[in-house]
Amino acid sequence: MLGKSRKYICILFTFFSLMAFSESKKDVVDYVNPFIGTSNFGTTNPGAVCPNGLMSVVPFNVMGSSKNKYDKDSRWWSTPYEYHNVFFTGYSHVNLSGVGCPEAGSLLLMPTTGALQVDYKQYGSCYKNEKAQPGYYANILTDYNIKTEVTATLRSSLARFTFPKGKSHILLNLGEGLTNESGAYIKKVSDTEFVGMKLLGTFCYNPQAVFPIYFVMRTKKKPLSSGYWKKQRPMTGVESQWDKDNGKYKLYTDYKKDLAGDDIGVFLNYDTEENEQIEVQMGVSFVSIENARQNLDIEQKNKTFEQIYNEARQAWQENLSKITVEGGTENDKTIFYTALYHTLIHPNILQDVNGEYPAIESDKIKTLDKGNRYTVFSLWDTYRNVHQLLTLVYPEKQRDMIRTMINMYEEHGWMPKWELFSRETYTMEGDPAIPVITDSYLKGLRGYDIDKAYEAFYKSATTAGEDNLLRPDNDDYITKGYVALREQYDNSVSHALEYYVADNALARLAKALGKAKDAKIFYARSLNYRKYYDKQCGTLRPLLPDGTFLTKFNPKQGENFEPSPGFHEGNAWNYTFFVPHDVLGYARLMGGHKAFVNKLQMVFDKHYYDPANEPDIAYAHLFSYFKGEAWRTQKEVRKILKENFKNLPEGIPGNDDTGTMSAWAVFNMIGFYPDCPGNPSYTFTSPVFSKITIKLDKKQWGQKQLVIETISNNDKAEIIKKIEVGGKPYHSFRITHEQLIKAGHVKIYLQ
């Protein structure tokens, strides 16, 4: 109960602080509330990170403890931090944001006082007075009266601990974290420097994806003494060291040079004066310890804590200022800029300061010759909107990401699917690199080898299933036009729908590259979704190998993540309108415009729509394909925004999915959305703000800015009365990327 009371006090402190900030003029970075999405399974975190930085340093509060709201082992979580938990066990380094599976979140750094404890159940502490801003996080550990602060550079972190007078300790726990791996190695280089390696991997429980992260830890004050610990495992039938020690941990205070094994750590002991500050640096690399040291040396050389934080803050200010908004409420601005912030966390740069990086699915180390090498490609999520946002507003980032994907194909023989720190996890389904690169290319983004990309796409689209790492059921797909249900829960319909979207994009790319024959083949494939449509049920329905429908079928089965035949993480209603590339053709199949619209509206009215589910993420925008129905898009989008995106820890509807939910909010708050991946166009909806200015890369787009202006006499107006594009009346609710960019100025009149 005491922990909960402290947390409620913290909630009031946080939001009163936000109210105080709002009274003075803010920089855009000050609108970001990193606590948004840290509950309700949003799985974001308030830790310190730079835009697309490899390093993130995050408060870790999800280890099992009766003091936490959810008393679970840390590996139950897919995030290092949950807002309503109160039991702090250190700062984790290199973390994932908004994902649905546990991984990384390791190298736990913890300050303590009093008697030395190395069991996290003993040394963990409640905390208060949390403060988070882009590039900075702080709290006070109530069990020790220690103030903790962290900030970050691209590849390193800096922690500052303010201790009370007395015996104090700094711990680095290498055994715990979100990863399923517990093995590590540590070596003492000097009294103030320790180096080592920690195993990570098995993301989404894929055993093949295991890899090391290398680190260098330095303290800026020499400890009185230091040592290692190792968690001992009990033995039966023999007298064990564990029995002799009468405990689970063995301390090595006489100091060996190094230590390797499972569940190990290092402790540093101090006698501190009142309010004495000790700083701890951490550099990381996925190449080597030496590179981790070089990353740390170069990025933090002669810099104070304040200098590093100010540089991180300025980097966020520059990135977030690419879009400025006027009008709307303070909460609207906070929701918007926090969403934009979340879209710029992943993918992350991977190469070290010397340009070296690990090649994908290989033990080779390569050196980058230009730009950035990126990692953490959650493409099943981000192909729908994150990369469209990057293409429009941050084209140089997107260009480097495309180069990275093509390089991955050259290194591994396949485009990435869900790549993580140069390992392929094969999580989720589909062939998502195709719409990502096609979308950017058709919008005019250049500077990469599109022919090599097409070679990769053609390979995944045509290779037999048994040899196809991206489309393992491609044999069915090619010969039957659909993927047959061969096991009760094999996600067959979900797989095929993703292939249809990918093949439609591939057909568009083939046509643009002058490959008319290929374009015809892939376009025809993309229309085979029709095979799944069951007029009796009015939904898509799993097909058996003989071409008949699955007999026992409930379109609602699959709600709340229960297993559902043919569908992954959802039910038939979450997938039935996931045919963004042939909306008008699909309407004819359903019986016409009215039948399509009525059924789609029913999905919203009966709450079958899931705002946190990627396949139905663009449902609301489909109304605008039909004359006289666009008002439904505007109404439903506003309703989704209002009900699901809030200035609260619960302010994202489920996993942010490395920025996907946030990108949905960003686009819809500024008034247009890319509802068909691989199609260079957008659907208009009513903006939340009176004026939005997007600073464009003139070299790329030929324009300095794009302005969307909202004209309305009523703050509650949400239905579009008319649109002007480039000063002229515009008579459609859809617009191509080229039209939008060339116009430079869009006026949307609301009623």
Side-chain angles (χ1 to χ4, degrees):
M1 182 63 70
L2 181 59
K4 289 184 178 180
S5 299
R6 288 170 176 161
K7 195 65 184 185
Y8 294 148
I9 292 171
C10 177
I11 293 171
L12 292 174
F13 174 83
T14 300
F15 287 99
F16 283 146
S17 298
L18 287 172
M19 290 174 64
F21 282 137
S22 69
E23 295 176 0
S24 58
K25 190 179 187 311
K26 297 181 181 179
D27 290 330
V28 294
V29 70
D30 294 320
Y31 281 105
V32 176
N33 176 5
F35 292 108
I36 291 177
T38 57
S39 189
N40 189 36
F41 302 100
T43 65
T44 62
N45 65 69
V49 63
C50 290
N52 302 106
L54 179 64
M55 171 61 82
S56 57
V57 53
V58 176
F60 199 101
N61 71 1
V62 297
M63 283 186 183
S65 168
S66 60
K67 298 176 183 179
N68 276 341
K69 181 178 180 181
Y70 305 99
D71 184 16
K72 297 282 186 179
D73 181 85
S74 64
R75 292 174 183 86
W76 179 82
W77 294 90
S78 60
T79 175
Y81 176 95
E82 205 286 334
Y83 186 80
H84 299 288
N85 283 347
V86 297
F87 190 66
F88 178 90
T89 52
Y91 284 104
S92 55
H93 297 76
V94 183
N95 302 268
L96 301 178
S97 174
V99 300
C101 287
E103 191 46 63
S106 192
L107 308 177
L108 296 177
L109 184 66
M110 179 73 184
T112 66
T113 63
L116 175 66
Q117 297 282 354
V118 297
D119 183 339
Y120 75 84
K121 294 178 181 178
Q122 302 299 319
Y123 69 64
S125 172
C126 291
Y127 55 95
K128 65 179 181 180
N129 294 3
E130 285 184 291
K131 182 179 180 182
Q133 299 170 349
Y136 176 85
Y137 173 89
N139 66 21
I140 293 176
L141 304 185
T142 55
D143 288 22
Y144 305 115
N145 194 28
I146 298 173
K147 181 178 181 180
T148 80
E149 303 170 272
V150 290
T151 187
T153 68
L154 287 174
R155 304 168 183 86
S156 71
S157 68
L158 181 59
R160 181 166 65 188
F161 303 135
T162 304
F163 288 95
K165 182 176 177 61
K167 293 182 178 179
S168 300
H169 317 281
I170 293 173
L171 315 176
L172 179 63
N173 188 330
L174 298 176
E176 300 295 340
L178 294 183
T179 180
N180 287 309
E181 298 298 317
S182 60
Y185 165 80
I186 193 165
K187 177 182 179 181
K188 179 181 179 181
V189 176
S190 70
D191 287 334
T192 59
E193 181 173 298
F194 297 82
V195 302
M197 174 276 295
K198 171 77 175 78
L199 283 180
L200 305 175
T202 67
F203 177 73
C204 277
Y205 317 106
N206 290 302
Q208 78 278 7
V210 178
F211 45 89
I213 184 171
Y214 302 94
F215 68 89
V216 172
M217 183 186 80
R218 288 195 193 123
T219 61
K220 293 192 175 181
K221 181 181 180 181
K222 180 180 177 180
L224 296 177
S225 61
S226 59
Y228 301 137
W229 79 79
K230 177 172 175 55
K231 187 175 182 179
Q232 302 297 105
R233 299 186 181 279
M235 299 176 66
T236 58
V238 297
E239 183 181 24
S240 68
Q241 186 66 51
W242 183 74
D243 297 321
K244 291 179 181 179
D245 294 340
N246 193 31
K248 294 183 179 180
Y249 292 86
K250 172 69 175 176
L251 301 184
Y252 298 91
T253 53
D254 53 346
Y255 245 107
K256 298 180 179 180
K257 279 289 184 181
D258 54 17
L259 183 68
D262 293 336
D263 299 308
I264 64 175
V266 63
F267 57 87
L268 292 81
N269 301 320
Y270 296 88
D271 276 339
T272 53
E273 298 298 323
E274 187 69 24
N275 294 323
E276 182 177 351
Q277 292 184 332
I278 298 178
E279 293 183 351
V280 183
Q281 300 170 302
M282 185 80 72
V284 295
S285 166
F286 282 93
V287 172
S288 67
I289 290 172
E290 183 53 43
N291 278 17
R293 179 182 288 112
Q294 190 176 20
N295 290 341
L296 177 59
D297 287 344
I298 290 177
E299 293 188 351
Q300 292 198 28
K301 184 177 181 180
N302 299 324
K303 292 179 181 177
T304 65
F305 186 97
E306 284 73 19
Q307 286 174 318
I308 291 173
Y309 164 56
N310 285 332
E311 287 178 5
R313 174 187 168 86
Q314 184 58 33
W316 279 114
Q317 176 70 15
E318 291 174 2
N319 276 260
L320 297 172
S321 294
K322 295 290 185 180
I323 307 179
T324 57
V325 298
E326 300 174 33
T329 66
E330 291 294 291
N331 268 344
D332 290 335
K333 292 175 182 175
T334 294
I335 292 166
F336 176 80
Y337 280 112
T338 305
L340 187 58
Y341 166 81
H342 284 146
T343 68
L344 294 170
I345 292 176
H346 298 302
N348 312 95
I349 62 164
L350 179 64
Q351 84 278 3
D352 295 319
V353 292
N354 63 7
E356 292 183 342
Y357 66 90
I360 186 170
E361 291 296 300
S362 169
D363 58 359
K364 295 180 180 178
I365 302 302
K366 305 194 76 173
T367 302
L368 198 67
D369 56 356
K370 63 178 178 179
N372 286 312
R373 169 79 173 206
Y374 282 94
T375 186
V376 188
F377 283 96
S378 177
L379 292 175
W380 181 82
D381 306 294
T382 59
Y383 89 80
R384 303 164 201 270
N385 54 30
V386 172
H387 289 284
Q388 288 85 332
L389 181 65
L390 294 172
T391 298
L392 174 65
V393 187
Y394 309 93
E396 196 56 47
K397 292 179 189 281
Q398 177 68 359
R399 184 178 290 109
D400 279 351
M401 291 175 194
I402 292 174
R403 287 172 178 157
T404 294
M405 288 189 276
I406 294 171
N407 286 342
M408 287 178 177
Y409 166 67
E410 293 180 309
E411 295 164 6
H412 178 223
W414 298 94
M415 279 287 180
K417 189 170 190 175
W418 212 124
E419 176 272 348
L420 180 67
F421 306 129
S422 280
R423 297 306 304 266
E424 180 53 69
T425 70
Y426 300 109
T427 304
M428 303 307 290
E429 50 263 321
D431 200 345
I434 294 176
V436 168
I437 296 177
T438 295
D439 196 275
S440 292
Y441 184 81
L442 295 182
K443 286 173 179 172
L445 190 67
R446 299 290 188 269
Y448 47 87
D449 189 344
I450 192 61
D451 293 321
K452 182 65 68 173
Y454 187 83
E455 175 187 301
F457 299 157
Y458 188 87
K459 177 182 178 181
S460 63
T462 60
T463 299
E466 61 182 14
D467 299 317
N468 197 325
L469 299 184
L470 296 180
R471 304 190 188 195
D473 33 27
N474 211 30
D475 288 349
D476 262 5
Y477 181 76
I478 293 173
T479 60
K480 299 175 182 293
Y482 66 91
V483 177
L485 183 75
R486 297 180 182 275
E487 297 179 15
Q488 187 176 10
Y489 303 120
D490 64 3
N491 306 325
S492 57
V493 185
S494 299
H495 285 208
L497 291 175
E498 293 291 346
Y499 301 158
Y500 297 140
V501 171
D503 279 349
N504 178 73
L506 186 52
R508 291 175 181 272
L509 180 59
K511 183 178 180 180
L513 296 177
K515 303 177 186 294
K517 183 178 178 180
D518 288 356
K520 185 177 180 180
I521 292 171
F522 294 128
Y523 177 68
R525 279 196 198 178
S526 76
L527 299 181
N528 282 325
Y529 72 88
R530 299 165 179 168
K531 295 177 181 290
Y532 282 111
Y533 185 68
D534 178 13
K535 292 183 179 180
Q536 182 180 351
C537 291
T539 68
L540 302 180
R541 184 171 182 172
L543 285 164
L544 300 175
D546 64 2
T548 61
F549 287 120
L550 176 69
T551 52
K552 294 182 180 180
F553 173 64
N554 176 7
K556 292 182 65 178
Q557 184 177 343
E559 291 179 319
N560 301 316
F561 290 91
E562 68 171 318
S564 176
F567 298 100
H568 191 185
E569 295 184 2
N571 60 30
W573 289 115
N574 302 137
Y575 279 89
T576 284
F577 289 91
F578 178 46
V579 186
H581 56 286
D582 190 36
V583 176
L584 298 180
Y586 197 11
R588 289 191 294 272
L589 183 63
M590 281 192 177
H593 159 173
K594 286 296 181 183
F596 183 96
V597 168
N598 289 342
K599 187 178 294 184
L600 182 57
Q601 186 63 60
M602 180 270 292
V603 169
F604 288 97
D605 294 344
K606 290 191 175 183
H607 307 290
Y608 293 165
Y609 171 77
D610 182 356
N613 204 1
E614 272 75 2
D616 64 15
I617 200 171
Y619 273 20
H621 304 86
L622 304 183
F623 293 116
S624 292
Y625 281 79
F626 304 97
K627 186 176 181 180
E629 306 292 356
W631 64 272
R632 298 178 190 270
T633 293
Q634 297 137 36
K635 176 185 174 183
E636 296 298 342
V637 165
R638 278 295 185 94
K639 185 178 179 182
I640 295 166
L641 281 170
K642 196 173 299 182
E643 293 179 353
N644 297 282
F645 294 89
K646 301 177 181 180
N647 184 13
L648 294 170
E650 297 79 12
I652 297 176
N655 293 163
D656 194 37
D657 290 327
T658 64
T660 302
M661 297 301 142
S662 290
W664 190 96
V666 168
F667 270 119
N668 284 292
M669 292 181 85
I670 64 178
F672 56 94
Y673 186 78
D675 52 82
C676 182
N679 182 342
S681 60
Y682 310 93
T683 291
F684 282 121
T685 189
S686 47
V688 170
F689 305 102
S690 59
K691 186 178 181 181
I692 302 102
T693 303
I694 302 174
K695 297 178 183 177
L696 298 176
D697 183 332
K698 187 176 181 182
K699 183 179 178 181
Q700 172 59 49
W701 302 125
Q703 299 277 358
K704 287 185 177 180
Q705 64 181 25
L706 170 63
V707 176
I708 298 96
E709 192 174 354
T710 307
I711 311 298
S712 173
N713 294 323
N714 181 354
D715 290 341
K716 296 183 180 180
E718 60 186 24
I719 305 302
I720 297 175
K721 181 179 180 180
K722 65 177 181 177
I723 301 172
E724 293 177 0
V725 175
K728 298 178 181 179
Y730 190 76
H731 302 293
S732 175
F733 289 94
R734 290 183 54 73
I735 189 168
T736 68
H737 177 82
E738 184 178 12
Q739 287 174 313
L740 185 66
I741 295 299
K742 285 185 176 180
H745 196 151
V746 175
K747 285 188 178 181
I748 298 178
Y749 294 79
L750 302 183
Q751 60 183 1

